[in-house]
Amino acid sequence: MRKLLALILALLMLCACEALEEPIIDEEIFVADSDIGFIKDEIEIIESEDGKFGAKIRYSEVLEPIYDSIKIYDRFFLVKEGETFKTFEFTGRQIGYDYSDFVWNEYQNEMAPYLGIVSEGTMKIISEDENREPFFEEVPDERHYLINKDGIPFFDVPLEDYIPMTEADEPGKLFIYGTAKGNRYEGWSQIDGSERLVRMEETEPRTFVDEFGYEHTGFYANWYGGYMKHGLNINGEVFIEPVYSGLTVPFKDRIILWYSAFMQGQNCGYCRMIDLDKNALTDEYNRIDFIGLEDGYWAGVAVSYGSDSEDPIFDRNGEPMPEGIWFIDKDGNRISKTMGLVQEEGGFEYEGYNFVKEAITSVSDVITFLDENGEEMKIAIKDCAFKP
């Protein structure tokens, strides 16, 4: 009797092995490229009478046949249910989120081979018109999850724009900086998935009220993972949309708008100064600063990097601006001779614009600068100072 039972058991095991060697698989749905020891023949795609699909592994149902399609990646299932994509571990447990689409990530495929896309409604992005003027544009909402080879998102917020980075001193981590809905997010996750998810930290744009009662507003834009854009509200109404790279209010009736990527270097970006009627008083300079002195006096300083400017700037006649540093008045008019982009003191060279700004301390100062030809010249600050 024992021999008979052993023979029957052996026959059953043989049949099971034969069944595993010849699974019923719909090749239109099945996509496998396993590299982790999971045997392709152990996965069986099952189909219900109403044409829905599920999956079995070693005769155990891990996914009910309720999905419109199933794809099998190296380490997870991808299913489509209606217009929604979902990822599941081979155990049948859902991982990640519900996605509008799921695609190959051609840019970061080594760390994050996939993108889970979320689309719902519209979102604001910052564009520029033909005059380089920034503005808010409504576009279809499309935010992304970066997803690793196990189907696991690296972060728990879908981002409009992001920068994934690795650090030499922490090679096992992926750091992510991104933006979504005007806020900035920052976080990290283990590349190998051993720590699957670290919550992204949200940074809301800084809002404050200045000495004139104007409310400064912010919007984290989708450029380089979250530089803040700036705007201005006056009397509770939007006066300047938060679309500018910088915004300063030196005087109650003067506003300086900073364009382009000025934070990337002294010769990057440019400025436009406007009045409360939004008239452009000047946009000839890469940088403008007003420095408060004693007794209510101010000194204005501006710089142009000429042909070295990353953004072309032009004078009021439409001609390319020459390089130089100048004292300016409240309207941006030049009221001094041209100072050089390089200044020297004690045998050392300095970036001229910072040198000039730091040299201005008092209306009574008489300061020696170098002109554009390297020749010494003296400037009395009282001849350049003004009361706004």
Side-chain angles (χ1 to χ4, degrees):
M1 187 63 178
R2 289 181 179 177
K3 290 183 179 180
L4 179 60
L5 289 174
L7 178 61
I8 292 171
L9 182 59
L11 288 171
L12 288 173
M13 293 177 64
L14 178 62
C15 291
C17 292
E18 290 176 351
L20 287 173
E21 289 173 0
E22 297 180 0
I24 301 172
I25 294 175
D26 187 333
E27 293 295 340
E28 292 297 314
I29 296 171
F30 184 88
V31 178
D33 192 13
S34 179
D35 64 353
I36 60 171
F38 227 100
I39 300 173
K40 172 180 176 179
D41 294 346
E42 292 183 339
I43 302 176
E44 179 184 354
I45 301 298
I46 57 178
E47 183 177 359
S48 67
E49 293 182 358
D50 58 353
K52 300 295 183 178
F53 298 93
K56 287 183 177 180
I57 297 179
R58 299 190 185 100
Y59 299 108
S60 295
E61 184 177 279
V62 292
L63 292 178
E64 293 183 70
I66 59 174
Y67 302 105
D68 298 317
S69 67
I70 297 177
K71 289 185 178 181
I72 304 173
Y73 286 79
D74 289 353
R75 301 168 187 259
F76 60 92
F77 293 111
L78 173 68
V79 306
K80 186 179 182 185
E81 186 176 14
E83 299 301 317
T84 301
F85 291 85
K86 303 178 180 181
T87 52
F88 289 85
E89 291 180 340
F90 288 138
T91 62
R93 184 177 73 89
Q94 183 176 353
I95 49 179
Y97 303 93
D98 291 355
Y99 310 112
S100 304
D101 202 357
F102 191 92
V103 298
W104 176 257
N105 179 11
E106 58 183 315
Y107 301 109
Q108 299 290 337
N109 55 14
E110 183 175 339
M111 296 180 292
Y114 311 108
L115 290 178
I117 299 173
V118 176
S119 300
E120 50 185 14
T122 62
M123 64 183 184
K124 287 181 178 181
I125 65 169
I126 296 175
S127 299
E128 289 187 353
D129 64 19
E130 63 276 8
N131 297 316
R132 300 188 293 175
E133 191 67 28
F135 65 95
F136 275 131
E137 181 180 7
E138 291 277 346
V139 298
D141 179 16
E142 183 175 298
R143 287 166 290 136
H144 299 160
Y145 290 97
L146 277 173
I147 295 173
N148 71 6
K149 60 187 177 183
D150 296 309
I152 300 168
F154 278 112
F155 46 83
D156 58 354
V157 177
L159 300 177
E160 298 160 19
D161 196 44
Y162 45 84
I163 297 178
M165 300 176 64
T166 55
E167 302 289 348
D169 56 345
E170 296 187 81
K173 289 183 178 180
L174 181 67
F175 296 85
I176 302 159
Y177 308 89
T179 55
K181 303 294 187 182
N183 295 330
R184 183 180 186 273
Y185 294 85
E186 179 177 329
W188 61 268
S189 189
Q190 294 287 0
I191 293 175
D192 63 7
S194 58
E195 290 189 49
R196 294 187 171 187
L197 193 68
V198 174
R199 181 165 183 80
M200 300 287 284
E201 294 184 5
E202 179 178 348
T203 303
E204 293 184 357
R206 185 170 67 102
T207 299
F208 67 94
V209 176
D210 66 20
E211 61 184 302
F212 307 114
Y214 300 161
E215 182 185 23
H216 294 243
T217 60
F219 183 93
Y220 280 109
N222 59 340
W223 184 85
Y224 204 72
Y227 280 110
M228 194 169 77
K229 301 294 185 177
H230 303 263
L232 197 69
N233 295 343
I234 298 179
N235 297 326
E237 296 184 357
V238 175
F239 184 72
I240 300 292
E241 291 273 18
V243 296
Y244 293 93
S245 297
L247 185 151
T248 55
V249 185
F251 313 113
K252 189 176 180 66
D253 57 352
R254 293 292 183 268
I255 298 166
I256 302 173
L257 306 174
W258 300 72
Y259 287 74
S260 193
F262 81 94
M263 71 292 290
Q264 294 296 295
Q266 290 279 36
N267 65 328
C268 299
Y270 61 100
C271 295
R272 173 174 293 161
M273 186 160 61
I274 64 173
D275 60 21
L276 291 182
D277 292 321
K278 298 185 179 179
N279 297 312
L281 304 176
T282 179
D283 52 10
E284 302 171 280
Y285 308 111
N286 293 100
R287 295 283 190 277
I288 296 174
D289 284 280
F290 288 97
I291 301 165
L293 304 172
E294 71 271 24
D295 299 327
Y297 281 94
W298 289 76
V301 189
V303 62
S304 163
Y305 289 91
S307 60
D308 287 334
S309 174
E310 290 289 328
D311 295 271
I313 51 177
F314 304 91
D315 65 19
R316 294 174 184 179
N317 297 317
E319 298 296 325
M321 271 293 288
E323 65 178 36
I325 303 166
W326 300 271
F327 285 97
I328 61 172
D329 65 15
K330 184 181 175 181
D331 295 327
N333 300 305
R334 294 185 280 280
I335 55 176
S336 74
K337 294 181 179 180
T338 304
M339 293 171 277
L341 292 182
V342 175
Q343 296 290 320
E344 294 182 1
E345 185 178 84
F348 293 95
E349 289 189 351
Y350 296 88
E351 200 288 318
Y353 187 58
N354 291 333
F355 183 92
V356 170
K357 287 194 301 178
E358 292 168 4
I360 303 168
T361 60
S362 171
V363 175
S364 61
D365 287 342
V366 177
I367 305 175
T368 300
F369 295 112
L370 301 182
D371 65 17
E372 67 267 45
N373 299 314
E375 300 295 326
E376 285 192 359
M377 65 175 182
K378 294 185 181 295
I379 295 179
I381 300 302
K382 67 179 178 63
D383 294 335
C384 304
F386 61 89
K387 287 189 175 182

